[in-house]
Amino acid sequence: MKANVLTRYRVMAYITAVWLLVFTGAIVLKYGFDTGDTMLISQIHGVLFIVYVIFAFDLGSKAKWPFGKLLWVLAAGCIPFASFFVEPKVSREARALIEGGTPAPARAEA
């Protein structure tokens, strides 16, 4: 697996996460305070999310992830703030594959 596959995923994970937060804020303003419009923000986020899904599938297929893990990574792009926690873990595991080793074991969180 090449490093640029991981880089593309990482960039889109952060961009999509930021736009999801912007979109969430716009939704709160629109429906909570009856101000603003979400059409443009939602369309931008939608296009960015599609690119994120493509790059996540690309990384997942090259890293030979099980289907459940791929679904978890894709779901992280739909949940505000989740991508900021999932992306570092995915990057650490993928970086180990790029360097020719085995994936880094998941840390036990207590």
Side-chain angles (χ1 to χ4, degrees):
M1 178 170 50
K2 295 183 180 181
N4 66 348
V5 174
L6 176 59
T7 303
R8 287 189 312 224
Y9 164 76
R10 291 186 71 206
V11 167
M12 285 312 301
Y14 282 117
I15 290 173
T16 304
V18 168
W19 272 100
L20 180 58
L21 293 177
V22 170
F23 183 42
T24 303
I27 291 288
V28 168
L29 287 175
K30 180 178 181 179
Y31 294 108
F33 301 100
D34 200 24
T35 61
D37 187 21
T38 60
M39 182 61 73
L40 180 62
I41 294 171
S42 66
Q43 290 176 347
I44 291 171
H45 172 67
V47 169
L48 291 173
F49 183 72
I50 290 169
V51 175
Y52 168 76
V53 166
I54 291 168
F55 288 164
F57 267 113
D58 186 35
L59 179 64
S61 66
K62 288 184 171 72
K64 296 183 176 36
W65 289 343
F67 188 68
K69 181 173 182 169
L70 180 60
L71 285 179
W72 173 244
V73 171
L74 295 177
C78 300
I79 304 167
F81 295 107
S83 197
F84 294 112
F85 298 101
V86 172
E87 186 279 327
K89 181 180 177 189
V90 168
S91 294
R92 190 171 41 253
E93 292 172 2
R95 201 168 285 118
L97 288 173
I98 291 169
E99 293 169 357
T102 58
R107 295 183 304 179
E109 310 222 2

